[in-house]
Amino acid sequence: MGGLQRFEQRLESMISGAFAKAFRSAVQPVEIAAALEREIDNNAQILSRDRRMVPNDFHVELSATDLGRLAPYDSTLARELSDQLQEHAQGQSYVFPGPIRIGFEEAGDLTTGRFRIRSAAQAKVVGTATHTQVTRAQALIEVNGSQHPLLPPGLVVGRGTDADLRINDPGISRRHLEFNITLGREGQDPLVEVHDLGSTNGITVDGRKVPRATLREGSQVKVGTTTMTLRIVREEAHGV
């Protein structure tokens, strides 16, 4: 029995016949599962002879009708689709850079029975800052949906356990780069700089590959497949 057949059987055992009835003439869950498998097959990046990295963040776009029919079952379906992708990945020696996330969204240009998938590789990010440090920071680094404070003298980013901000991206060295910050006087923005720590793949700042750079609000630093964005926190944001 193939993986997709097992997927269908698992769904049938977990969800009542109302599920099959709702999707009789619309998008079928097994079609989404097959498309997700093709999506990671087509976007696999070679890490070594035996390992390939694949996307882990998926957006399934559907018509309003199909999305409405799916809504009562979306969390169950997302879990089963994630399990199916894990099973497929194990058989192909694929590596996910972080947890699998699957979301369902409406797309106005799609008709009933049609769907498409957008995917991205989003590395797992682990920081050590407390909530208080985040709320009091003059500058933040945004990465993969999370915020991390920049506190003097700076922040080391890398894949290793000794980095202040750890990102599970195979294109990132163990100690890849460092952000440095000098706090501004009252009414002034802090000075933020970034420099490469001798990494294998270097850093790209606002589209240019450079060894170091001075950053401004909204500057984007790309390392591996991960993009980090600098956010300057003005006084009014702190409620002052």
Side-chain angles (χ1 to χ4, degrees):
M1 183 185 298
L4 292 177
Q5 288 178 302
R6 290 193 296 272
F7 168 77
E8 283 191 300
Q9 287 189 352
R10 289 199 303 269
L11 276 183
E12 288 173 2
S13 67
M14 294 180 65
I15 303 175
S16 69
F19 184 92
K21 183 178 180 180
F23 280 81
R24 185 170 297 159
S25 60
V27 172
Q28 300 297 314
V30 70
E31 295 176 331
I32 298 176
L36 287 169
E37 289 186 2
R38 289 195 300 271
E39 184 72 11
I40 63 175
D41 289 342
N42 293 337
N43 290 280
Q45 300 179 37
I46 297 175
L47 299 178
S48 65
R49 190 173 70 176
D50 302 320
R51 296 170 69 243
R52 288 178 288 176
M53 186 179 72
V54 293
N56 62 312
D57 186 69
F58 304 92
H59 299 266
V60 182
E61 298 182 344
L62 303 139
S63 69
T65 300
D66 284 332
L67 187 63
R69 289 170 175 167
L70 172 67
Y73 319 99
D74 57 359
S75 59
T76 299
L77 181 56
R79 286 195 301 271
E80 288 301 312
L81 288 169
S82 295
D83 290 344
Q84 178 63 27
L85 281 182
Q86 289 279 13
E87 181 180 318
H88 180 68
Q90 289 174 2
Q92 302 296 324
S93 298
Y94 292 154
V95 177
F96 295 105
I100 296 174
R101 291 185 290 267
I102 300 175
F104 303 94
E105 302 173 0
E106 180 182 339
D109 62 326
L110 293 178
T111 56
T112 301
R114 299 182 65 84
F115 69 96
R116 62 172 168 257
I117 293 173
R118 294 184 291 109
S119 68
Q122 286 207 344
K124 181 180 179 181
V125 181
V126 179
T128 59
T130 66
H131 176 71
T132 299
Q133 288 174 320
V134 173
T135 57
R136 292 181 177 178
Q138 288 190 10
L140 301 166
I141 296 297
E142 289 184 350
V143 54
N144 292 354
S146 59
Q147 291 187 326
H148 305 270
L150 269 178
L151 305 172
L155 180 76
V156 173
V157 177
R159 194 163 39 87
T161 56
D162 58 340
D164 302 312
L165 184 60
R166 301 193 299 277
I167 303 178
N168 184 32
D169 183 328
I172 295 179
S173 299
R174 295 185 63 81
R175 287 174 58 88
H176 197 110
L177 63 84
E178 184 173 17
F179 291 99
N180 296 116
I181 180 169
T182 303
L183 297 181
R185 296 179 180 178
E186 186 175 352
Q188 293 183 332
D189 289 343
L191 172 65
V192 179
E193 300 174 302
V194 64
H195 66 273
D196 183 36
L197 293 175
S199 66
T200 301
N201 296 319
I203 64 175
T204 300
V205 179
D206 294 331
R208 296 176 57 243
K209 192 165 186 177
V210 292
R212 61 177 59 244
T214 299
L215 307 179
R216 62 183 186 280
E217 159 65 26
S219 285
Q220 294 189 326
V221 180
K222 185 173 182 180
V223 287
T225 61
T226 301
T227 298
M228 295 173 283
T229 304
L230 174 68
R231 295 301 180 197
I232 302 298
V233 182
R234 267 61 188 224
E235 288 187 353
E236 56 267 24
H238 287 304
V240 177

